Structure formats: C-alpha cells, structure tokens
Amino acid sequence: MRSGLSSYYNNKTTIIQEARVFNDSPISPRKCRALLTRIVYLLYIGETFSAQEATTLFFGTTKLFQHKDSALRQMVYLAIKELATTAEDVIMVTSSIMKDMQPNSEVIYRPNAIRALCRIIDPSMAQGVERFFKAAIVDRTPSISSAALVSSYHLFPLAKDVVKRWVNEAQEAVSAKSSSSFFPGSSGGGYLNFGSSGNSNSGYQPIPSTSYITQYHALGLLYLIRQQDRMAVTKMIQQLGGGKSGAGTTLKNSMALCMLIRYAAKVMEEDPNVQRQILDLLEGWLRHKSDMVNFEAARAICEMKNVNASQLTKSIAVLQLFLSSPKPVLKFSATRTLATLALTHPAAVASCNVDLENLITDQNRSVATYAITTLLKTGNEASVDRLMKQITGFMSEISDEFKVIIVDAIRSLCIKFPTKHVSMLAFLSGVLRDEGGYDFKRAVVEAMFDMIKFISDCKEQALSHLCEFIEDCEFTKLSVRILHLLGLEGPKAPQPTKYIRFIYNRVVLENATVRAAAVASLAKFGVNAVDDGLRRSIGVLLNRCLDDVDDEVRDRAAMYLKVMKEASLADTYVKEESVFSLAALESKLVAYVNDADASAQPFDASSIPKISRAQLAAESTRPSTLDTIAAPATRASASPPPPTAAETQSAYVQQLADIPHFADSVKPAQLTESETEYQVTCVKHIFREHIVFQFNVSNTLPDTVLEQVVVVMQPQADSGLTEDVVFQIDSLSCANSPGIVYVSFKRDNPREYTTTSFQCILKFISKELDPSTGRPEEEGYEDEYQLEEVELSAGGDYIIPSYASFSSEWDRLRSGATATETFSLGAMESIKAACDSIIELLNMEPLGGTETPSSPSVHTLQLSGLVTGGGGKVLVRCRMTFSRGQGVTLELGVRAEQENACALVVSVVGG
C-alpha cells in the first residue's frame, strides 16, 4: 500500500499536473517547496524529462521568484540548477538570478544563486559576470566563497581565459586567515525560515566556519589554472607547504593539505630535480596533527619512484603507529599501504611484522587480510607454516575479493620459498574445494599453474588436484584451461594413463566447449604416447567421439584420428612449438581481404613471423598499441610496455592501408631530444619494391601552428634508392599532434638490400595563433629543423625475429641457399658477449635457450628470422669456441629460402 502510494505520489505525470501550484495566487511556499522536492528527487533517482516537460517546469519554477520566502528560494535554485541541462531558453532567467548575487545582497540563498548561474550562462557571458564571481570568491562568508570557487572550477573548461584572470582572488581565498563574519539581520522566522509566513524577513545569521573548507576549493581552482605551468605549481607548493617542518603553512583544512600533498607527489614524479625539496616537505607533514595528512604524506613517500630504504624510514614509522590505533580506518589504510610497499621493499616493511601479527586476529577481516598478505611477503621461510595455519582459520569469513589478495600473495610466496610447496599446495587444494566465484577460483588455478611451471617436484600432485577439481567445476573457461594444461604436461608424466580417465569423463559429462577441449587433450596423449597400446586406447576413445551431437567435437575427433596416423601431420598440428604472431596474422588477413586483386591467389602465410607459445602468452597481456606508438612518450612511468615487433607491424599496416602501393613494418627511432619543441620519430617499412619512411611529428608549442610540414631526406650517393612519393602534413598544432609525414623511396634493384644513411631536415611554415580567435595568423615564415640521421641497416631493418622449430626447419632448408663462413672475434671477452652481440647485430630470434651458453669454452647459438620485402625465412647456426688471448672463433652457418637473404646475413656479420 505504502509503495503504491509512493509511486503515485512521485510519478512524473502526477508532478507535471500538480505544477499548476506555481501559478496560484497567493503562492503557497509550503506546497511549492514540497513539489520542488519531488521534482529534484525524481531527477536524483534517474528519471528523465523531455525538453518540453523540463522547459515547462523550469519556467513554472521561475514564477516563484516573486515570493521572498528564503527556504522556497533555495529550493527554486536547486530545481533550476538540475533542470537547466535539459530545458530550453534557460538563459532568460539570468537577470533574476543576478539580482540575488549582488555583493550587498544579505540573503541566505546567495550561494544557491551562484551555483545556479554557473549552470545557466554560456561561455560568451562569463566576462559579464566576472565582477560578481570575483567579489564572491573573496567574500568572508565561507558558503558564498565556496560556491563561487566550485562554480569557477566548473566554468573553467568553457571559459579558460576569463577564469584564469581570477587567480589573485583564488590565492586570497587560499590564504584566508578567518571566516567568522556575520550578516546583520532580524530574528524573524525559524531556522532557514521554514514555517514562516509569506512576508518573512530574508535576513539570517550564518554560523562561523571552523573547517576552512574554502581553502580546499580554492586550492583546487588554483591548481586547475596553473596545471600547465610546472614552475608555477612548484612555487605554489613551496609557498603553501610551510617550510621544511610544515608548521608555517597557511592551510588549516586537512583536505586541502592532502590535496597539496598529491600535487607535490605529481610534481616530484614529473621532475626528479625537485625530489629533495619535495621530500623535505613530505617528511614535515608526517608530523602534522591530522591523521589524514600524516597518512597522505606517508603514502606519497612510499609510492615515490626509486625510493630507497633510508627515505622510507620515517613514513614506515608513521604507518607503524597507525597499526596500533583504535580506529579501524587507520589500521586498514596502513596495512593496505604496507602490503603494496612490501612488493618492492619487503626488508623495509619487515620492521612492522610484530604489529602486523597482532592484527591477524583483528575483528575487521579486511585489516586481517592485508596484515597476513604483508607478512607473507616480508616473512622468512620458518614462518610460512604458521601463517598458513592462521590463514586457513578465517578464509571462510572473508569475501572473494580478499581471498584473491591472499591467494596472489601465496602465489608469489611459492616462487620465493619453493621448499614449502607441500603446505602451500595443500592450502590451495583445500580452498579450491570451498565455495567461491569465478575470480577466486581462477586465482587459485593460476597459482597452481605457476607451481607446475616453476616447481617440478610438485607437478604431479598439482595436476592430480586439478583433475579432481574439474570433476565438479562449474566454470567452463577454467575447465578448458586445465584440460589444455593436462594435454601439455600429462604426456610427460611418469604415469600419463592416470589422467586419461579424468579427461574422458569430461567428454561424457560436460558441455560442447569442454568436450572439444577434452578431445584435443586426449589427442596430445595419443600423439606423444611411447606405448602403442596407449595409442590404440586413445584411438578407441576418439572414435567414440565421432558420434557426438556437436559438430566441433566430431570435427576435432576426426582430424586428430588422421593426425595420429601420420607423423608429418602430428609434427605440424600437435608437436609444433611455434605459432603465428596473432597481430601480424590479423594485419595480413585484413590487407588480403581488402585487396580485390589478391583473391586470385591463395593467402601466403610464409612472410608472417612466428613466436613461441611463451611469447604469445606474454603478448596477450599487453594493451593495444594503436593509440600509443605514434607519439613520443613524455612520461616513462605512465607509458605501457614497449610494443612487440608484431604489434608494431599490425598498427602501422592499418595506418598505411589507405595509401596505394604500401602495406608491411618495424620499430620507431627517436630523431630529436625528448625536451625539444618539435619531437620526431621515424619508422621504416620495407616492401618488395619500396622503402617507406614514416615520420611521427609532434608540435609541443601551444601558441604555434605548423603548416605544409615535410621531411627532406638526402641519401648517400649510389644508394640504389630513388624518392618517388612524399605525403605532407597540411596543418599541425599542439592539439592534433602527432601528425604523420610519409616519404617513399623506390628500390632500383628489389633483389639488393641497400644499407645507407639519410640526412633529414624538417621543413614547415610557422604561424602564431591569435589568442582572441584561436586561429592561425595569415602571415607566417618558412623555417626548418635539423633532425638526426636515419640509418637503413641490414639487421635492424631488413631482418625481423621469427620463432621456428630449429631442427626441422634446418633440415627443410637443406636444399635451399646455404653459406658457411669462419670469423675471428678477437675483441670478445666471452662466448656470452659474442652471443649478445650477434643477436643484437642480426636482430633474430634465439631458439631453445641457446642465447645463454652452458659452457664457457664451446657453444652453438641457433637463430631464426624473416627477411622483409619477400626475402623469406632464414636460419643461422653459430658454432663458437673461446680461448684466452685469441677471443672467440665463430663458424657461421646460414640457410635461407633465397640466395640474396643468405648473402645479407653473411654480409652483416662480415661487416
């Protein structure tokens, strides 16, 4: 009954009908306040009004300006502020609002008027209300000053130039000494004049503020205005910081100090030169009377880049005091910060271990979880068993989110203390049987995967636990991953037959996705089986799968039955360790599909580089590179991991797709210093008949536009390259940087691999931006900028790494182009140094761990790669011997699909 009444009472249609109360004469403040409250409530819960409905309500609300009731006026402003984003022609009410914003207007709703005006005006009107905002910002009444500061903050994106002129007023608000002014007024009316008559007096007596919240809002506005000027921000931090001890600061609001600490940490991260001064400020704030400020300063120090143990001492001491605090929030924040710090500085956090152990039994299980995970990272091998027992006791009392944190800590502990794998594996297998969601179960399975990978002694036991888990696993993804792992590791076990029952049960009992994975896993047992009896048994099981209701399962069974009968197919489809780079494969397929003439020929996969399965797993965790590889990185800490060659190729192929004749690629080279006003990187794309240079050009000057931007390249004489196409940048500003210039050279003889260097000059027309219009001036001047030379080298540009199974590929290329040369590398001090130099020189993929010599005197290095521009596959075998005094003697053996590719490798090493 009550919910039905409420839904009717707060129904949008009902409220629009009742809006007639705004037209009553005389106006009833009580009824209007109630209706406005319902309107704001509907907007708060997500109800939407059409433009017509919002406009009707908006202008109905504005009729209430004729009544002087203070509480009603406050509700009017609240409704206007919320409806302004949807209603039309809202700017018409500006004059009514500005009457209540006058500096001499001693009314309680002046802050409400300021907030409403901010939502209504457009950028062109900002200059007209400038004097009102300036007066309000420095008003001694905190509510008025805060309203003006927050409104200015929201106006800044729309009218930057106007709001920037208010910096002196914002500075004055930050430095305010007191906020205890009182407006004169009568005592008529109740608090906020609720229940007062229609002719109530609008005066009031504000309560003085002791929170100094205005400083928090003013500091936010100051930083917004100055954020592009690092020197100004640094100066602001030093002025407001209060010196080395922090006692001289004018900031009395704790939130403002916390904000200042965050700004300081950001400046310190961007400019290491001020780290010493900022660190002194942070250490001063560790002694502040506010716990909030102490914690923020301690956390900022703990999160510093390249922080050392001596710099952490004071902040860890503060966090250690928080660990014994009676306040749960302080204990939680301290344990969470220490848990993060323990990942990089476990020795420094170890001093808190006694306090952390006392928190293991804390009634707040979130605190206990972080305490025990920190102890797992900082403890020694002797304490592992005791900690594992304590963890087991409260695992059932915490949420999945914290269970994942604990499992991740144990996962890293397995690698740190491999001899304790028995107790940790027992714990993981126990929690695997407990109730839990997908994320928790996945974390446990991932931990077991790591133990199987890095701790050989526990492999069989961990596989057995995983087999038991998939018997009643409700998560298809986890079942598929475990079956895949069983297919890889099971055939290598001393008794592979004991896993087959668990795998075949999945064929009988599970859904089609799991059944298909089980078929693939069974086939791997059959292909790798040494015993013919086991192979026949697997064949019988796969034959039964031919009657499955799902076509994927049937197709896999039929294919693997064929594969098991032919060794060559087994080598290709089961035993092959390399896979195509997915990014490169995708780009080639896209180019093939989009090329109308390509359909006449079958898709050629020979030029696609291959990678190992370990590399594929590493690449799958990377972010997309499409948005990051064109521009030079400005902050090392924020940049993603460097993209692989395959990812780079995929991204650049998409950029070249719309340009005729072009489509293949390699890695950016920096041609300017990172601090210069123009930043340029170069990427080389090698094709069968062309070499394309892609220049990513960034303009860092905000008040300058570059037009007709080109790069003039001058190759050495007799380079065998002829320039044929140049694509310029028509207009390049700071906002649309980076832009791309393409310069294409035709290869006079496509069968030759030219190595040369190019003199490069960046040429452009420079034009200043008009600050009033934001448009470039008509007159400009021609200018040029000398760039670093661009080198076209054999190893770095023509050869790209590609994974392969060396023995089979070496035999396959026996009938192709071959070459053998002997070299004396007298300058090499060891075989390891020779391996590193050859890998760097040739830019090829080392295979089978041969990049790490097992003997200091004799070693064989195996390399694989692809020669771009249609050169095909090339393999290199480097037999090396080392003797003191003579250095390294190298026998270089090369096999390739084409003679010119073979000669290219020999020429690179021969110099």
Side-chain angles (χ1 to χ4, degrees):
M1 173 84 178
R2 182 175 295 176
S3 64
L5 248 168
S6 175
S7 62
Y8 168 76
Y9 183 72
N10 291 321
N11 180 273
K12 182 172 76 171
T13 307
T14 306
I15 286 175
I16 291 173
Q17 290 175 348
E18 291 183 9
R20 292 191 300 268
V21 73
F22 297 151
N23 300 320
D24 289 352
S25 183
I27 292 171
S28 169
R30 185 183 62 81
K31 289 182 180 179
C32 292
R33 283 200 306 265
L35 186 60
L36 290 170
T37 303
R38 288 158 64 192
I39 292 172
V40 173
Y41 170 75
L42 279 185
L43 292 167
Y44 175 76
I45 62 173
E47 184 68 69
T48 56
F49 290 89
S50 68
Q52 184 178 356
E53 292 168 342
T55 304
T56 302
L57 288 173
F58 182 89
F59 285 103
T61 303
T62 59
K63 294 177 182 177
L64 303 179
F65 274 112
Q66 58 190 302
H67 200 282
K68 299 298 183 184
D69 184 90
S70 298
L72 175 61
R73 186 68 62 88
Q74 285 183 302
M75 280 306 304
V76 166
Y77 281 127
L78 195 57
I80 283 175
K81 186 163 70 77
E82 298 301 325
L83 290 169
T85 55
T86 315
E88 298 172 346
D89 301 324
V90 295
I91 207 166
M92 293 171 63
V93 78
T94 304
S95 59
S96 299
I97 296 176
M98 289 178 69
K99 287 179 183 177
D100 290 341
M101 274 189 61
Q102 300 295 331
N104 60 353
S105 176
E106 299 173 356
V107 289
I108 194 172
Y109 42 78
R110 186 177 166 198
N112 304 84
I114 293 170
R115 292 191 186 95
L117 185 67
C118 168
R119 294 290 184 93
I120 285 172
I121 62 172
D122 59 29
S124 62
M125 296 179 62
Q127 195 162 355
V129 298
E130 183 174 7
R131 65 186 182 90
F132 295 105
F133 273 95
K134 280 186 173 182
I137 288 172
V138 295
D139 197 288
R140 297 186 66 191
T141 305
S143 59
I144 295 173
S145 180
S146 286
L149 288 164
V150 174
S151 298
S152 303
Y153 193 96
H154 293 304
L155 270 176
F156 185 79
L158 306 175
K160 289 183 181 179
D161 293 335
V162 176
V163 177
K164 280 180 179 179
R165 295 201 292 264
W166 307 347
V167 65
N168 292 333
E169 285 73 18
Q171 184 71 50
E172 186 177 339
V174 167
S175 307
K177 296 290 189 298
S178 173
S179 55
S180 56
S181 74
F182 292 83
F183 283 130
S186 71
S187 58
Y191 176 64
L192 298 184
N193 285 340
F194 276 107
S196 60
S197 66
N199 297 318
S200 65
N201 196 309
S202 62
Y204 81 108
Q205 281 192 327
I207 300 171
S209 169
T210 57
S211 69
Y212 295 93
I213 192 65
T214 304
Q215 292 184 331
Y216 174 67
H217 297 141
L219 182 62
L221 180 62
L222 265 182
Y223 179 76
L224 192 68
I225 292 172
R226 295 174 172 174
Q227 62 183 341
Q228 301 301 329
D229 187 348
R230 189 189 300 166
M231 293 299 295
V233 173
T234 305
K235 185 177 178 182
M236 178 184 76
I237 292 167
Q238 291 172 340
Q239 286 176 342
L240 298 176
K244 199 168 185 178
S245 66
T249 180
T250 57
L251 296 179
K252 295 180 172 58
N253 181 267
S254 296
M255 288 191 291
L257 271 170
C258 289
M259 185 71 75
L260 189 67
I261 290 170
R262 293 185 182 183
Y263 295 153
K266 187 175 181 182
V267 167
M268 184 167 54
E269 183 181 8
E270 293 175 349
D271 186 4
N273 295 326
V274 299
Q275 187 181 67
R276 183 67 260 170
Q277 302 95 296
I278 299 291
L279 184 60
D280 289 340
L281 287 174
L282 292 176
E283 289 180 347
W285 285 320
L286 289 174
R287 298 184 290 274
H288 195 270
K289 61 184 178 180
S290 168
D291 291 335
M292 184 193 306
V293 177
N294 298 156
F295 170 70
E296 196 66 42
R299 190 179 68 169
I301 294 173
C302 291
E303 292 177 354
M304 279 170 50
K305 286 193 303 183
N306 304 320
V307 65
N308 58 49
S310 61
Q311 293 170 330
L312 288 170
T313 306
K314 294 180 181 178
S315 59
I316 290 177
V318 169
L319 295 173
Q320 191 170 3
L321 287 174
F322 286 173
L323 295 177
S324 54
S325 169
K327 299 177 182 178
V329 67
L330 289 181
K331 289 188 287 189
F332 176 79
S333 58
T335 51
R336 188 170 65 169
T337 305
L338 289 171
T340 305
L341 183 62
L343 289 170
T344 51
H345 295 82
V349 180
S351 60
C352 304
N353 280 4
V354 175
D355 299 280
L356 289 167
E357 289 197 19
N358 294 332
L359 294 178
I360 293 176
T361 56
D362 194 276
Q363 60 182 358
N364 187 317
R365 284 314 191 195
S366 302
V367 173
T369 301
Y370 276 119
I372 205 157
T373 52
T374 308
L375 286 169
L376 287 172
K377 296 166 188 170
T378 60
N380 52 36
E381 193 167 357
S383 63
V384 170
D385 292 332
R386 177 172 52 84
L387 289 172
M388 299 300 291
K389 288 179 182 177
Q390 290 177 303
I391 294 171
T392 307
F394 71 87
M395 279 295 282
S396 58
E397 302 174 21
I398 59 177
S399 65
D400 276 9
E401 180 184 359
F402 288 108
K403 286 179 182 177
V404 170
I405 293 171
I406 286 180
V407 170
D408 284 342
I410 292 173
R411 181 180 176 183
S412 60
L413 201 67
C414 295
I415 314 303
K416 188 177 180 182
F417 303 126
T419 57
K420 293 294 182 181
H421 67 83
V422 176
S423 59
M424 287 185 275
L425 188 58
F427 170 79
L428 291 174
S429 63
V431 297
L432 200 55
R433 291 189 290 270
D434 295 343
E435 292 295 321
Y438 172 73
D439 289 333
F440 169 53
K441 297 289 186 181
R442 184 186 62 179
V444 178
V445 170
E446 293 279 3
M448 285 191 167
F449 279 14
D450 274 4
M451 294 184 74
I452 291 169
K453 183 177 180 181
F454 297 110
I455 308 172
S456 57
D457 292 343
C458 70
K459 183 178 294 186
E460 283 193 63
Q461 192 178 357
L463 288 174
S464 298
H465 287 312
L466 291 173
C467 285
E468 292 172 9
F469 172 62
I470 60 174
E471 287 288 298
D472 57 356
C473 176
E474 58 184 308
F475 304 109
T476 297
K477 285 185 178 180
L478 291 183
S479 294
V480 170
R481 291 195 61 195
I482 292 170
L483 287 167
H484 177 70
L485 181 72
L486 286 171
L488 293 176
E489 300 293 342
K492 305 173 189 174
Q495 294 179 317
T497 52
K498 68 180 182 181
Y499 305 115
I500 293 175
R501 174 174 63 85
F502 295 99
I503 297 172
Y504 187 67
N505 282 348
R506 309 280 63 77
V507 176
V508 177
L509 302 171
E510 292 286 359
N511 59 49
T513 305
V514 177
R515 293 202 304 273
V519 167
S521 185
L522 280 174
K524 289 172 185 173
F525 278 83
V527 168
N528 294 295
V530 179
D531 183 10
D532 289 338
L534 177 58
R535 191 188 300 268
R536 285 194 298 271
S537 299
I538 296 291
V540 171
L541 297 179
L542 291 177
N543 269 303
R544 293 178 185 175
C545 298
L546 294 174
D547 297 327
D548 196 276
V549 294
D550 185 78
D551 56 351
E552 172 72 15
V553 179
R554 293 195 305 271
D555 291 348
R556 287 197 184 198
M559 185 193 79
Y560 284 122
L561 282 169
K562 177 74 171 175
V563 165
M564 285 173 61
K565 294 175 183 176
E566 298 186 26
S568 60
L569 293 177
D571 290 339
T572 304
Y573 293 107
V574 178
K575 295 182 179 180
E576 175 62 57
E577 296 178 1
S578 62
V579 293
F580 286 120
S581 168
L582 296 182
L585 177 62
E586 179 192 21
S587 64
K588 290 285 186 181
L589 287 171
V590 169
Y592 180 78
V593 170
N594 292 336
D595 187 356
D597 300 330
S599 58
Q601 299 291 331
F603 179 71
D604 180 18
S606 62
S607 62
I608 301 173
K610 288 189 173 184
I611 57 176
S612 66
R613 296 186 186 278
Q615 288 173 307
L616 179 66
E619 282 189 18
S620 65
T621 61
R622 293 172 179 272
S624 172
T625 57
L626 292 178
D627 301 325
T628 59
I629 57 180
T634 54
R635 285 178 55 190
S637 61
S639 62
T644 63
E647 288 177 314
T648 310
Q649 182 181 37
S650 174
Y652 285 135
V653 163
Q654 294 187 36
Q655 294 180 355
L656 294 171
D658 297 332
I659 304 175
H661 312 301
F662 297 164
D664 204 356
S665 306
V666 227
K667 195 172 176 182
Q670 194 84 25
L671 301 185
T672 58
E673 297 293 331
S674 57
E675 298 83 11
T676 56
E677 51 201 23
Y678 310 121
Q679 297 181 22
V680 183
T681 60
C682 178
V683 182
K684 287 156 275 190
H685 308 273
I686 312 296
F687 303 99
R688 193 178 300 275
E689 296 184 358
H690 292 83
I691 297 177
V692 182
F693 297 87
Q694 172 179 329
F695 295 93
N696 304 313
V697 185
S698 292
N699 173 18
T700 63
L701 300 177
D703 54 353
T704 304
V705 172
L706 311 182
E707 294 185 351
Q708 299 178 31
V709 182
V710 295
V711 176
V712 178
M713 301 183 70
Q714 183 62 48
Q716 292 177 343
D718 302 325
S719 64
L721 299 173
T722 305
E723 183 177 294
D724 59 351
V725 180
V726 177
F727 292 90
Q728 70 175 20
I729 304 172
D730 294 329
S731 177
L732 182 69
S733 65
C734 184
N736 68 358
S737 291
I740 298 175
V741 175
Y742 290 107
V743 182
S744 171
F745 283 84
K746 185 176 179 61
R747 296 168 68 176
D748 297 340
N749 185 353
R751 297 185 63 81
E752 289 183 0
Y753 294 97
T754 301
T755 56
T756 185
S757 60
F758 296 80
Q759 297 284 341
C760 298
I761 299 174
L762 180 70
K763 290 194 173 185
F764 51 85
I765 296 176
S766 180
K767 293 185 177 181
E768 298 292 324
L769 278 176
D770 188 331
S772 59
T773 63
R775 295 180 179 178
E777 298 175 350
E778 291 187 9
E779 296 296 326
Y781 61 91
E782 292 186 4
D783 200 357
E784 61 182 45
Y785 194 86
Q786 184 70 44
L787 305 177
E788 296 285 341
E789 285 191 359
V790 173
E791 297 284 342
L792 190 60
S793 60
D797 299 318
Y798 290 115
I799 304 174
I800 59 174
S802 178
Y803 189 86
S805 177
F806 187 82
S807 57
S808 59
E809 283 296 311
W810 186 259
D811 291 339
R812 184 181 70 83
L813 294 174
R814 182 180 299 166
S815 59
T818 61
T820 304
E821 294 283 347
T822 303
F823 300 95
S824 178
L825 310 178
M828 294 296 168
E829 298 178 352
S830 67
I831 287 183
K832 180 68 171 79
C835 288
D836 293 341
S837 296
I838 293 169
I839 293 170
E840 182 180 0
L841 192 64
L842 293 176
N843 190 36
M844 296 176 73
E845 182 78 25
L847 304 176
T850 56
E851 68 273 19
T852 305
S854 56
S855 167
S857 57
V858 179
H859 182 62
T860 299
L861 173 65
Q862 299 170 348
L863 301 172
S864 172
L866 282 175
V867 177
T868 56
K873 182 166 287 186
V874 60
L875 295 180
V876 174
R877 183 179 66 189
C878 303
R879 290 174 171 170
M880 290 175 277
T881 59
F882 174 76
S883 61
R884 292 192 178 278
Q886 296 183 2
V888 175
T889 302
L890 167 67
E891 181 192 86
L892 182 74
V894 184
R895 291 185 181 179
E897 292 178 344
Q898 296 186 21
E899 190 68 44
N900 54 346
C902 192
L904 174 68
V905 173
V906 174
S907 67
V908 172
V909 178

